[in-house]
Amino acid sequence: MAVRDFISRGMIEGEPELLERGRCIFRQGEEVSAFYLVTQGSVALADQAAGIDEQVIAPPDFLLGITDLLNDTYSFTAYTLEHTELIRIDKEAVQRALHENPMIRLYLLKMMSWEASLTKTAFE
């Protein structure tokens, strides 16, 4: 089961967003307020602290920013490389779902681990 399934079943609340090429999704250092399910398109990650400009990611159902669930601020900047479809999920909705459903908790922990390895590789 994927995050999109959790949303369609009403287990997590999310709102669709469409962003054109070059739009910032969130910036490094901003308060973590939401996570974004990339459903179509490409997103670049940038780490200004490390001076690394971008790493393209575009896997289906990639939950962007989930590595910062336990942080106060985003650890990187994310922006679109093309027309991109996302589902915005408020941080509070994710935290609620984690407490209410062990299946979601397990899935999101797996996503956190997977994204952490991807972003670490991107910034090495």
Side-chain angles (χ1 to χ4, degrees):
M1 187 174 291
V3 175
R4 195 185 307 217
D5 296 325
F6 295 133
I7 292 168
S8 67
R9 292 176 183 214
M11 299 165 81
I12 298 178
E13 300 167 17
E15 292 196 27
E17 287 190 11
L18 301 173
L19 296 177
E20 294 303 318
R21 182 181 189 275
R23 296 289 308 271
C24 183
I25 301 167
F26 55 79
R27 295 188 189 287
Q28 187 173 6
E30 286 181 345
E31 182 180 343
V32 176
S33 58
F35 306 103
Y36 298 84
L37 183 66
V38 179
T39 58
Q40 185 176 346
S42 298
V43 175
L45 308 177
D47 182 348
Q48 284 80 28
I52 298 172
D53 289 334
E54 64 182 51
Q55 168 67 33
V56 178
I57 56 165
D61 295 326
F62 184 81
L63 192 57
L64 191 59
I66 194 64
T67 53
D68 291 319
L69 177 64
L70 303 176
N71 298 330
D72 294 328
T73 60
Y74 292 111
S75 57
F76 54 90
T77 297
Y79 59 93
T80 60
L81 293 172
E82 62 183 336
H83 176 84
T84 301
E85 296 178 13
L86 310 159
I87 298 175
R88 182 182 196 278
I89 306 168
D90 288 334
K91 182 178 181 178
E92 293 80 23
V94 171
Q95 290 173 328
R96 241 186 343 269
L98 285 171
H99 291 291
E100 294 171 358
N101 190 312
M103 187 166 54
I104 293 174
R105 186 169 39 249
L106 181 62
Y107 183 82
L108 291 179
L109 286 172
K110 180 180 170 185
M111 287 291 293
M112 287 174 71
S113 173
W114 182 74
E115 184 182 324
S117 66
L118 179 65
T119 55
K120 182 178 181 203
T121 301
F123 294 129
E124 285 182 342

